[in-house]
Amino acid sequence: MKEYDFKFNEPLVEGVIVKRKGQFIIICEINGEITNCHCPTTGRIGNLDVSGLPCLLSKSSDLKRKTPYTVEAVSLNRLEDCNKSWIGINQNAANRYVEHYLVNGGFIEMVGTENEVLREQVLGISKLDFLVGNTYVEVKTPLQHLQVEYPEYIKTKKVTPFSSTDRFVKHITELGKSLQSHQRAILLTCFIYDNPGFEIIEKSTNYEQVKVAVDRSIVLGVETWQANFEIKPEGVQLVRYFKREV
């Protein structure tokens, strides 16, 4: 990894998912022991049946926490494969990765350099992720559909259309409004795997409402960018980022 890449305080531990118990709990086998682990996404992970998949876990420093580990990533490789590729599932952690690269000059082509980076800035009725200089940046990390090729042995399950879009519509609307007092606003769609280019594969139940909000914001000048990260046991690397043509 490069010197300025995001490094974990301790390397992630590899385990195996036994099953997903609920929104917040994934049961994993770690070094031969069965443990309840925190699931960092309340929604689905594509249409995967995650049972039996290899996973990477971070150990909590809080000894009193009921779930001592958090599942950070899953793999579509077989358990015995030595060089696994990982799909990061910690949507909250994506903001930490983005902040790290904003501060360390990883997004020069997107926001330039030597800008003050402020987290969680209130704008209207929303709290947006970053204010970088005079540019608002809102980060989204979709997991409803995984744009990767599934090996034939991967188990899938039937899923229902995604419907929780209110927060996204609110944020994209506020980004558009921000251009009245700021020069730029960016919607940054992040993937903790190498996504070739974000596409809407399965329309949400509120698709038309969301499309109207997005189209209106783009007309006002909101830019849409994509960033792909790679997660490994030792840390996270920004693989590439690019402006999306919408």
Side-chain angles (χ1 to χ4, degrees):
M1 301 185 72
K2 298 178 182 177
E3 185 176 342
Y4 58 81
D5 288 334
F6 184 98
K7 295 178 177 62
F8 298 119
N9 293 330
E10 295 182 16
L12 302 181
V13 177
E14 187 169 334
V16 181
I17 296 176
V18 177
K19 68 175 181 178
R20 185 167 182 175
K21 189 177 180 180
Q23 279 189 315
F24 302 102
I25 300 293
I26 292 180
I27 302 174
C28 297
E29 181 181 341
I30 309 167
N31 296 324
E33 296 187 3
I34 304 299
T35 306
N36 281 346
C37 301
H38 175 61
C39 178
T41 175
T42 58
R44 71 192 201 213
I45 304 168
N47 62 340
L48 289 178
D49 177 350
V50 296
S51 303
L53 293 183
C55 62
L56 289 178
L57 307 107
S58 59
K59 187 172 178 59
S60 173
S61 58
D62 184 357
L63 299 178
K64 296 181 180 179
R65 203 176 87 162
K66 293 182 179 179
T67 51
Y69 291 91
T70 296
V71 180
E72 299 287 346
V74 299
S75 178
L76 304 185
N77 288 105
R78 297 184 187 274
L79 296 177
E80 62 270 20
D81 291 346
C82 295
N83 297 314
K84 297 181 177 69
S85 297
W86 300 98
I87 298 170
I89 66 169
N90 192 335
Q91 293 166 305
N92 293 326
N95 280 34
R96 296 200 296 271
Y97 309 150
V98 169
E99 181 179 26
H100 175 85
Y101 283 98
L102 285 172
V103 170
N104 289 283
F107 288 107
I108 294 177
E109 295 178 13
M110 187 174 75
V111 293
T113 58
E114 299 181 0
N115 288 309
E116 183 180 19
V117 179
L118 302 176
R119 283 287 305 268
E120 297 186 342
Q121 297 299 293
V122 175
L123 177 67
I125 59 173
S126 298
K127 184 181 288 186
L128 300 180
D129 292 319
F130 298 102
L131 179 59
V132 185
N134 63 359
T135 301
Y136 280 106
V137 179
E138 177 66 12
V139 177
K140 297 299 178 187
T141 311
L143 282 173
Q144 291 80 33
H145 181 86
L146 301 177
Q147 289 178 244
V148 294
E149 186 175 345
Y150 289 7
E152 60 181 14
Y153 54 81
I154 291 295
K155 296 178 291 184
T156 60
K157 59 185 180 181
K158 186 176 181 180
V159 295
T160 56
F162 183 68
S163 60
S164 181
T165 56
D166 291 348
R167 189 167 179 267
F168 174 80
V169 169
K170 182 174 70 171
H171 286 172
I172 191 72
T173 300
E174 293 295 350
L175 277 176
K177 290 179 180 178
S178 77
L179 293 167
Q180 298 172 11
S181 57
H182 291 78
Q183 290 185 356
R184 296 179 69 206
I186 293 171
L187 176 66
L188 179 61
T189 306
C190 293
F191 299 91
I192 314 176
Y193 66 93
D194 196 19
N195 184 303
F198 176 59
E199 296 179 7
I200 298 174
I201 306 298
E202 299 170 2
K203 294 182 179 180
S204 70
T205 55
N206 306 316
Y207 173 76
E208 294 303 328
Q209 176 191 0
V210 174
K211 187 176 186 303
V212 167
V214 170
D215 290 346
R216 183 183 299 124
S217 297
I218 290 174
V219 168
L220 290 173
V222 174
E223 300 172 28
T224 58
W225 288 71
Q226 178 174 324
N228 291 350
F229 296 93
E230 180 182 21
I231 185 169
K232 293 183 177 181
E234 62 271 20
V236 174
Q237 181 177 8
L238 177 60
V239 177
R240 59 187 175 128
Y241 67 97
F242 51 91
K243 190 173 183 181
R244 294 180 52 232
E245 300 298 331
V246 179

